[in-house]
Amino acid sequence: MGQNITRKIIAEHLVSGEMIAGSEIAIRIDQTLTQDATGTMAYLQFEAMGVPRVKTELSVSYVDHNTLQTGFENADDHRYLQTVAAKHGIHFSRPGNGICHQVHLERFGVPGKTLLGSDSHTPTAGGLGMLAIGAGGLDVAVAMGGGPFYLTMPKVVQVKLLGKLSPWVSAKDVILEVLRLLTVKGGVGKVIEYTGEGVKTLTVPERATITNMGAELGATTSIFPSDEMTKAFLAAQDRLHHWVELQPDADAEYDEEIIINLSELEPLVACPHSPDAVKPIRELSGLKVQQVAIGSCTNSSYADLAQVAKILRGKKVHEDVSLVISPGSRQVFEMLARDGILADLIASGARILESACGPCIGMGQAPASGAVSVRTFNRNFKGRSGTADAQVYLTGPEAAAAAALRGELVDPRELGEYTRIELPEKFIIDDGMIIPPADNPHEVEVIRGPNIKPLPVNEDLPDTMSLKVLLQVEDNITTDHIMPAGAKILPLRSNIPAISEYVFSGIDPTFAERAKAAKGGVVVGGHNYGQGSSREHAALAPMYLGLKAVIAKSFARIHHANLVNFGILPLTFVNEADYEQIKQDDVLVIRNLHQQLQQETIEIENETRGTTFAVYHGLTPRQINIITAGGLLNHTKKQNA
Ligand code: MIC
Ligand code: SF4
């Protein structure tokens, strides 16, 4: 049987398990990346493991999220990250050097290798033919220590691309089309592998836009072949030596297949408040727009911003629109400046931000009340922009630039003549803002500011638990609901007691208080619970508040793994109708838990209503050991002792 790319890379990195879709496997990790908002926890956990130097081929620590320094906290975190990196063999990409995924694609990604990153958009590097997976910080810490990464062997979906993109239609429209077809939960347990003649027409940065936003499908990752285009990109990055060819076998088999004809696509938009609420832009033509934000790890390559500049050249941003642009990396920023393109952006009235995540994670630039904001980003979850009632629409850079000029949504095909921006033959190479690990690690002192608090420790999982239903929520609850981000809360990422006060604050501001008072509780959810980011704070902070279990109709992959890592039971209804029989404040009792975990299902008594219902735990023996120990850190300590 012919192999696809995904299975080839997994086979080469397999440490344990069988490559049968749905069963647990472990793979060796070649490279890791972290960013500052998840990195502080990941490195605190790495330090707790007592491994002197990372055992990966390459580990990089980026600073890109918490760059709005409204107090000492973020700067303290940056200093901690820089010193801990120097000491333990990690490269450190300084604030200002760019968004982790963009910089990793440019400077470090290698086709055929594995990458584990503490950020859900790590699959961006799949644009280079890497098997790049997002995970919680603790899993990344384990990988840095040389441990394997455990995951469910995915199904592989072939997305066969035919034809080539028409003028004004971009890579963003390809992934929006995939989201329209598969929805935000359609990728769970799957790798999306792109094949077909159409692939050859897409540059690496375009492929990276597609693999980046594959995260919104809930997919394990997305991947492209490594071909002549990959070679050209790596050569332009002065990294030809990193190129290897990677193609599926001619008779490769896939679990599912989707065909997309690029020539038939048109400009699309994802409507509030979900990346899969996709429509043709022409259907929304005329909708008044108050803010346009261009950037993020999805759409901030040199070609993206050069295309935007071309549209804006010699024109002014509409008087009712605020246009903000954040270049994806310092490489992109410097090239725009040297080519004079930056001058066109400035002259048009665009507000230029530093190379960082910025507005994408609510780090500044919150829109006005009720405003329509058009963004080239990947997520439009309610409230993520920093304004609870803002209406966020996601488009490609061309449509965003058009909206900035017209003050309303317009199909960019109305703009007239189109020229495609080619991949530069040579990028500007300057790694001066990436600090290599220290030669004298024993002399490096790790500096911790007062905001960096020790990791909270969980207790062993009790055998009998009486748990209050603290909250009942609907389908597709995101980690932004569970543990909000934004300029006010993000600086508390290294301080679990402080950040835990904000758990579910957007849904119910009394949650933290009630959870602490209940001394043990459960959250009841719908389908795809915990979709979105990899932030382990969405498990760690609820754990700190006493959450012992989440009962949902289904879970998103990374959040499920994070719950296990922090000793919270992820349970799914055997009979989904039982969801309706539970109300907030009900008391649920689980008895003989340790014995029940040896069976397929667990019986739960609803003491308040005098009923019982069954749930699946779906945990492997390895995961049961972790959960009963109160989480992966406790489990590892016990094993070592
Ligand atoms: C996001 O886009 O939500 C983030 C912020 O990059 C997160 C990571 C985090 O919460 O720190 C992600 O996607 O994993
Ligand atoms: Fe940063 Fe936004 Fe990308 Fe997350 S999605 S890594 S916040 S740019």
Side-chain angles (χ1 to χ4, degrees):
M1 175 179 101
Q3 294 283 350
N4 54 53
I5 300 171
T6 308
R7 292 184 66 97
K8 284 185 190 186
I9 303 181
I10 293 177
E12 224 170 86
H13 290 82
L14 194 68
V15 174
S16 67
E18 271 187 85
M19 289 173 52
I20 301 167
S23 65
E24 186 175 72
I25 57 165
I27 57 170
R28 180 168 43 81
I29 296 300
D30 301 320
Q31 298 188 352
T32 63
L33 73 77
T34 57
Q35 40 89 341
D36 48 336
T38 54
T40 48
M41 272 303 143
Y43 294 109
L44 286 170
Q45 288 153 351
F46 178 75
E47 285 185 295
M49 288 172 196
V51 179
R53 206 178 167 81
V54 290
K55 295 186 176 155
T56 47
E57 290 174 12
L58 174 87
S59 287
V60 191
S61 170
Y62 293 91
V63 175
D64 52 5
H65 283 64
N66 282 343
T67 57
L68 193 68
Q69 292 156 229
T70 52
F72 63 90
E73 294 86 352
N74 293 345
D76 278 11
D77 282 355
H78 301 170
R79 193 173 52 180
Y80 165 69
L81 291 169
Q82 182 167 346
T83 51
V84 86
K87 195 169 186 75
H88 295 290
I90 299 145
H91 285 71
F92 180 71
S93 173
R94 302 176 61 186
N97 199 46
I99 305 174
C100 53
H101 309 302
Q102 176 69 23
V103 179
H104 209 85
L105 190 79
E106 293 168 353
R107 306 304 306 141
F108 295 115
V110 179
K113 299 264 181 193
T114 53
L115 168 69
L116 194 71
S118 63
D119 191 283
S120 63
H121 291 103
T122 303
T124 312
L128 269 177
M130 264 194 123
L131 192 79
I133 304 177
L138 184 48
D139 283 335
V140 176
V142 168
M144 287 192 286
F149 174 62
Y150 288 88
L151 72 160
T152 306
M153 178 66 202
K155 288 186 175 172
V156 185
V157 181
Q158 156 166 248
V159 178
K160 200 181 224 170
L161 301 178
L162 308 176
K164 88 182 222 288
L165 292 171
S166 313
W168 298 111
V169 182
S170 75
K172 185 64 156 278
D173 301 310
V174 179
I175 186 62
L176 289 176
E177 173 67 5
V178 181
L179 273 154
R180 190 184 70 78
L181 292 169
L182 293 183
T183 80
V184 290
K185 51 180 194 284
V188 178
K190 299 172 185 174
V191 170
I192 314 295
E193 183 170 317
Y194 291 86
T195 68
E197 286 302 299
V199 162
K200 294 186 187 147
T201 68
L202 300 170
T203 64
V204 167
E206 288 174 315
R207 296 174 184 185
T209 293
I210 297 170
T211 54
N212 170 282
M213 210 174 166
E216 276 51 69
L217 298 163
T220 304
T221 188
S222 303
I223 191 166
F224 274 83
S226 172
D227 56 8
E228 290 303 311
M229 273 292 189
T230 324
K231 192 176 183 181
F233 177 80
L234 287 172
Q237 290 287 355
D238 228 354
R239 299 205 289 127
L240 189 55
H241 55 285
H242 282 150
W243 183 72
V244 286
E245 190 173 24
L246 197 63
Q247 295 284 355
D249 292 338
D251 57 347
E253 290 193 7
Y254 292 88
D255 298 294
E256 289 169 31
E257 185 186 89
I258 293 173
I259 298 177
I260 294 179
N261 189 339
L262 299 176
S263 320
E264 287 167 7
L265 287 182
E266 63 172 309
L268 300 171
V269 55
C271 302
H273 300 283
S274 184
D276 62 1
V278 174
K279 291 186 178 156
I281 296 190
R282 61 186 158 75
E283 286 180 15
L284 279 97
S285 174
L287 178 80
K288 295 279 176 261
V289 171
Q290 286 81 42
Q291 183 190 55
V292 174
I294 297 175
S296 91
C297 54
T298 320
N299 272 127
S300 57
S301 68
Y302 174 80
D304 282 344
L305 300 189
Q307 187 62 262
V308 166
K310 220 153 161 265
I311 298 168
L312 297 177
R313 184 169 303 148
K315 307 196 174 79
K316 277 281 170 304
V317 171
H318 190 275
E319 63 181 37
D320 297 330
V321 175
S322 166
L323 168 64
V324 286
I325 299 179
S326 17
S329 67
R330 197 173 50 91
Q331 180 184 74
V332 169
F333 211 166
E334 183 176 349
M335 286 182 64
L336 295 176
R338 295 204 185 275
D339 292 356
I341 292 171
L342 183 59
D344 293 327
L345 296 175
I346 295 171
S348 75
R351 303 165 66 181
I352 312 293
L353 304 178
E354 68 174 317
S355 294
C357 301
C360 176
I361 192 58
M363 269 282 165
Q365 302 295 330
S369 298
V372 167
S373 176
V374 174
R375 302 177 159 215
T376 65
F377 307 167
N378 46 36
R379 290 186 175 146
N380 57 349
F381 304 145
K382 197 167 187 309
R384 181 173 161 103
S385 66
T387 302
D389 61 355
Q391 306 291 313
V392 178
Y393 292 81
L394 306 173
T395 69
E398 296 79 4
L405 289 179
R406 300 270 186 98
E408 55 187 35
L409 266 184
V410 346
D411 186 324
R413 289 175 296 184
E414 284 181 29
L415 295 178
E417 210 187 304
Y418 172 87
T419 9
R420 195 179 146 97
I421 308 279
E422 299 297 332
L423 188 79
E425 254 170 53
K426 274 268 164 280
F427 289 95
I428 297 176
I429 311 298
D430 169 11
D431 292 331
M433 290 285 280
I434 299 171
I435 307 177
D439 298 327
N440 53 341
H442 44 283
E443 284 165 31
V444 177
E445 188 203 342
V446 177
I447 307 176
R448 287 163 234 272
N451 183 49
I452 302 180
K453 296 279 185 271
L455 280 169
V457 186
N458 200 5
E459 52 171 14
D460 288 3
L461 191 71
D463 198 38
T464 299
M465 300 196 288
S466 178
L467 306 169
K468 192 166 205 170
V469 177
L470 299 168
L471 196 68
Q472 187 167 24
V473 287
E474 71 272 28
D475 288 352
N476 293 323
I477 283 297
T478 72
T479 54
D480 280 88
H481 291 109
I482 305 169
M483 188 69 263
K488 189 168 136 203
I489 306 176
L490 270 174
L492 304 174
R493 284 285 179 96
S494 329
N495 185 342
I496 300 302
I499 205 169
S500 67
E501 297 295 324
Y502 295 94
V503 172
F504 279 118
S505 57
I507 295 182
D508 180 352
T510 68
F511 182 88
E513 205 185 310
R514 290 191 295 108
K516 279 192 280 189
K519 293 199 171 60
V522 53
V523 167
V524 176
H527 278 294
N528 202 23
Y529 180 86
Q531 71 157 325
S533 91
S534 69
R535 61 189 73 152
E536 60 191 354
H537 300 74
L540 190 45
M543 172 204 100
Y544 179 80
L545 295 175
L547 195 78
K548 291 283 184 234
V550 178
I551 308 174
K553 293 180 187 168
S554 65
F555 288 89
R557 174 186 66 88
I558 309 180
H559 187 59
H560 184 276
N562 285 336
L563 289 173
V564 172
N565 280 351
F566 292 100
I568 300 175
L569 272 171
L571 305 171
T572 51
F573 290 101
V574 169
N575 183 353
E576 279 181 18
D578 287 332
Y579 171 94
E580 309 297 336
Q581 308 309 317
I582 305 175
K583 297 282 166 286
Q584 187 169 314
D585 292 333
D586 283 2
V587 174
L588 307 184
V589 181
I590 310 181
R591 292 192 180 83
N592 296 328
L593 178 56
H594 295 156
Q595 186 220 317
Q596 293 212 67
L597 278 169
Q598 304 308 320
Q599 300 152 199
E600 204 189 350
T601 61
I602 294 176
E603 193 181 83
I604 301 184
E605 180 191 336
N606 186 334
E607 203 177 61
T608 314
R609 297 188 192 274
T611 53
T612 55
F613 62 98
V615 292
Y616 294 115
H617 61 77
L619 300 168
T620 64
R622 185 189 67 89
Q623 291 172 320
I624 292 174
N625 288 337
I626 292 173
I627 292 239
T628 37
L632 184 56
L633 274 182
N634 294 3
H635 175 64
T636 315
K637 270 190 215 144
K638 277 188 191 158
Q639 269 188 327
N640 294 347

